[in-house]
Amino acid sequence: MDITATFRLSQADLRRAIRNSPGIRTISIFCVLLFLLGLFDQAFGSKPEIWLLIAGPALLAFMELVGVRLAAKKSASLLATPWTVRITEENFTLHTGTSRAEVDWSAYRQVTARSGFWYLQQTNKAVAFVPQRAFDEARLAQVSAFFAHRLPPLKHPWYRPFG
């Protein structure tokens, strides 16, 4: 198998890709849980802590305004040129206007599909993303089948949902 696709990301695509990356999603889930804990504390606590109610949404807004938007702004130079991704049996290659990376599949531990992107997570927790819209229907199915075979989803024990 040797599939190559060229695509161009918009600012909104880049923000959506960053927002849905595994690390940011973990922080978002934590913020929601913190807010729910605040609601529970307000309803049933003998001495409610208002900061629990405020901390979750505040952290979520801060992450969106500073984390996601600043990361997308810093990466604006990447949007000027098209990206090329090449998927072969041996490796994954991503070529942007400013960099080129060729990584063997043994360095990746899992791939997840979310919000129109594939997120390829390396064993060192680094994440690459590829928009699914970069591929036509036939190649999309071929790449999906390849990822399912090559990098099957990891099963997380119930007691380590983020492990």
Side-chain angles (χ1 to χ4, degrees):
M1 179 179 88
D2 189 353
I3 296 177
T4 302
T6 301
F7 58 92
R8 180 172 247 135
L9 286 176
S10 69
Q11 189 78 2
D13 286 338
L14 185 59
R15 278 196 309 269
R16 192 172 74 241
I18 293 169
R19 189 177 298 118
N20 286 295
S21 66
I24 299 294
R25 285 192 49 99
T26 300
I27 293 170
S28 299
I29 291 169
F30 173 75
C31 292
V32 170
L33 291 175
L34 194 61
F35 177 71
L36 292 175
L37 180 64
L39 284 177
F40 184 80
D41 186 48
Q42 289 295 313
F44 302 109
S46 61
K47 186 177 171 190
E49 298 286 339
I50 192 71
W51 71 269
L52 283 173
L53 200 58
I54 297 169
L59 184 60
L60 198 59
F62 178 79
M63 184 182 58
E64 171 65 27
L65 293 174
V66 175
V68 173
R69 293 188 185 269
L70 190 61
K73 191 174 184 177
K74 280 184 173 181
S75 301
S77 63
L78 296 174
L79 303 176
T81 59
W83 294 19
T84 302
V85 63
R86 182 174 180 215
I87 299 170
T88 65
E89 294 285 336
E90 296 80 33
N91 55 36
F92 170 77
T93 305
L94 180 64
H95 181 75
T96 69
T98 58
S99 67
R100 179 181 169 86
E102 186 172 317
V103 183
D104 189 67
W105 286 115
S106 63
Y108 290 97
R109 72 177 226 194
Q110 75 177 16
V111 63
T112 55
R114 185 181 300 119
S115 300
F117 291 92
W118 280 303
Y119 294 91
L120 293 100
Q121 189 171 25
Q122 295 181 6
T123 54
N124 65 358
K125 303 281 184 169
V127 176
F129 61 87
V130 179
Q132 294 174 348
R133 67 171 170 75
F135 301 95
D136 60 17
E137 288 295 319
R139 289 194 173 165
L140 184 66
Q142 190 177 6
V143 171
S144 293
F146 175 75
F147 284 156
H149 170 72
R150 184 66 148 183
L151 298 167
L154 295 176
K155 295 195 185 325
H156 295 289
W158 66 270
Y159 55 87
R160 285 189 53 212
F162 304 113

